[in-house]
């Protein structure tokens, strides 16, 4: 008897609880605030933080897709590095304009994710996490060893600013005007994706892989889609971050970058479209509060994770959606 390529009613019902169709006004308001933020302050420092928040939203949005299908990656930072280095090297070595160079960086990250994911997505749990950690370290060590090309531990400095359609993004407000739409599009992409049959299937795979497989869904194919798409978004953020900061090094994309993205997602909400935005808004400014006190920062991160997982397992954005659902019953 052939499998039906349909989702069971229970899985489909559970999956539809996660997409934020009823939260469209809140999502739209958050996006509008994000876009208007640089016009609400004259402080260059706050605009700088806003740029970092926007780029983190792109990174964490990509990671959230993989979390939704039940996998956890510790090499997300490595894909940021791939996007950054490919984009920068093409521009500085071959004179490729910013947009084509960035597109090449995104494609390189996606291709590498496809190759890696095709090989390891059959693994589950801690085995998958350990392989992604090892891969991230392999990318970092490869960048260190290829010193003639990448600058090794010294990295690449004096990276020219991004240029779009003749406009040079050489100031913080100018760069923000591009970073904010990127973050908004990332949120809107998640919002749209998880309202589609593909998004419902991704949620079903994450909630009960065995049931999804028995219903005719290919767990590995859907996880591969999430892994590749999320890694491409990480590569995009890495390419823009390199142009914004003007410097890249292998240590800019180590495992701590991946862990920071995971913390942002957990704090914001793993199953909420607004989770990446909420997590980035809360966690991105914290290093400035702990400047010169790295150990205190790590302790604070650890305590925050414990409290969130204990009392708000769905994250802060999940708390708001739960209250709204409670008010509707």
């Amino acid at each position: 008897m052939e499998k039906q390529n349909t989702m069971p009613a229970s899985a489909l019902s559970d999956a539809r609880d996660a997409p934020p169709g009823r939260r469209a006004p809140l999502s739209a308001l958050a996006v509008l605030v994000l876009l208007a933020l640089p016009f609400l302050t004259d402080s260059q420092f706050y605009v700088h933080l806003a740029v970092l928040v926007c780029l983190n939203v792109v990174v964490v949005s990509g990671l959230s897709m993989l979390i939704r299908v039940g996998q956890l990656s510790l090499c997300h930072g490595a894909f940021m590095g791939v996007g950054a280095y490919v984009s920068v090297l093409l521009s500085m070595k071959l004179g490729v304009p910013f947009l084509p160079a960035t597109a090449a960086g995104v494609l390189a990250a996606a291709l590498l994710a496809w190759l890696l994911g095709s090989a390891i997505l059959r693994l589950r749990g801690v085995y998958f996490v350990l392989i992604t950690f090892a891969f991230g370290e392999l990318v970092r060590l490869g960048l260190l060893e290829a010193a003639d090309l990448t600058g090794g531990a010294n990295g690449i400095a004096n990276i020219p600013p991004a240029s779009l359609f003749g406009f040079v993004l050489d100031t913080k407000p100018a760069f923000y005007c591009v970073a904010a739409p990127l973050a908004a599009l990332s949120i809107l992409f998640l919002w749209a994706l998880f309202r589609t049959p593909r998004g419902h299937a991704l949620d079903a795979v994450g909630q009960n892989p065995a049931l999804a497989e028995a219903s005719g869904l290919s767990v590995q194919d859907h996880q591969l889609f999430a892994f590749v798409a999320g890694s491409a978004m990480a590569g995009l953020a890495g390419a823009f971050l390199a142009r914004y900061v003007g410097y890249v090094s292998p240590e800019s994309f180590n495992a701590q970058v991946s862990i920071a993205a995971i913390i942002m997602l957990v704090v914001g909400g793993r199953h909420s479209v607004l989770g990446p935005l909420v997590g980035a808004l809360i966690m991105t400014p914290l290093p400035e509060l702990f400047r010169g006190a790295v150990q205190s920062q790590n302790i604070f991160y650890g305590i925050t994770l414990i409290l969130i997982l204990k009392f708000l397992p769905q994250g802060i954005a999940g708390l708001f959606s739960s209250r709204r659902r409670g008010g509707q019953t």
Side-chain angles (χ1 to χ4, degrees), residues 137-224:
E137 285 298 292
L138 183 64
V139 170
R140 184 180 67 85
L141 292 174
L143 293 174
L144 283 171
E145 290 299 321
D148 292 340
L149 185 64
T150 66
N154 294 325
I156 302 175
N158 301 317
I159 299 173
S163 177
L164 291 174
F165 309 112
F167 296 96
V168 180
L169 308 180
D170 54 356
T171 65
K172 292 179 176 62
F175 200 94
Y176 183 88
C177 289
V178 174
L182 279 181
L185 287 173
S186 299
I187 296 170
L188 293 175
F189 170 71
L190 290 182
W191 179 82
L193 174 63
F194 287 102
R195 288 168 58 88
T196 66
R198 163 76 79 170
H200 298 159
L202 293 174
D203 273 330
V205 166
Q207 291 166 14
N208 194 327
L211 181 59
E213 191 77 47
S215 304
L217 295 176
S218 173
V219 171
Q220 186 175 354
D221 286 350
H222 284 85
Q223 289 182 337
L224 185 60

Side-chain angles (χ1 to χ4, degrees), residues 36-59:
L37 195 147
F39 305 104
L40 303 178
T41 178
D42 293 329
S43 171
Q44 293 293 302
F45 174 71
Y46 289 127
V47 176
H48 167 70
L49 285 180
V51 170
L52 296 182
V53 166
C54 291
L55 295 180
N56 281 333
V57 167
V58 178
V59 174

Side-chain angles (χ1 to χ4, degrees), residues 51-281:
V51 170
L52 296 182
V53 166
C54 291
L55 295 180
N56 281 333
V57 167
V58 178
V59 174
V60 180
S61 294
L63 181 64
S64 71
M65 285 191 287
L66 189 60
I67 298 292
R68 292 276 282 256
V69 295
Q71 294 284 31
L72 178 65
S73 170
L74 284 179
C75 64
H76 217 57
F79 290 115
M80 289 181 66
V82 170
Y85 270 93
V86 170
S87 172
V88 167
L89 289 173
L90 284 176
S91 290
M92 297 186 70
K93 301 290 187 181
L94 301 177
V96 178
F98 171 69
L99 280 180
T102 298
V106 171
L107 289 175
L111 177 59
L112 198 58
W114 180 79
L115 293 172
L116 177 66
S118 298
I120 70 171
L121 276 171
R122 291 183 178 84
L123 301 175
R124 295 288 183 269
V126 66
Y127 301 104
F128 181 84
V129 174
L130 288 175
I131 291 295
T132 59
F133 174 77
F135 176 79
E137 285 298 292
L138 183 64
V139 170
R140 184 180 67 85
L141 292 174
L143 293 174
L144 283 171
E145 290 299 321
D148 292 340
L149 185 64
T150 66
N154 294 325
I156 302 175
N158 301 317
I159 299 173
S163 177
L164 291 174
F165 309 112
F167 296 96
V168 180
L169 308 180
D170 54 356
T171 65
K172 292 179 176 62
F175 200 94
Y176 183 88
C177 289
V178 174
L182 279 181
L185 287 173
S186 299
I187 296 170
L188 293 175
F189 170 71
L190 290 182
W191 179 82
L193 174 63
F194 287 102
R195 288 168 58 88
T196 66
R198 163 76 79 170
H200 298 159
L202 293 174
D203 273 330
V205 166
Q207 291 166 14
N208 194 327
L211 181 59
E213 191 77 47
S215 304
L217 295 176
S218 173
V219 171
Q220 186 175 354
D221 286 350
H222 284 85
Q223 289 182 337
L224 185 60
F225 168 82
F227 191 50
V228 171
S231 300
M233 293 176 71
L236 177 65
F240 273 84
L241 180 64
R243 299 307 181 111
Y244 176 65
V245 176
Y247 171 77
V248 291
S249 76
E251 295 305 320
S252 303
F253 307 104
N254 56 24
Q256 290 183 349
V257 175
S258 301
I259 294 172
I262 294 171
I263 293 174
M264 290 180 194
L265 186 58
V266 171
V267 170
R270 291 169 292 167
H271 299 289
S272 170
V273 167
L274 290 179
L277 174 60
V278 174
L281 281 172

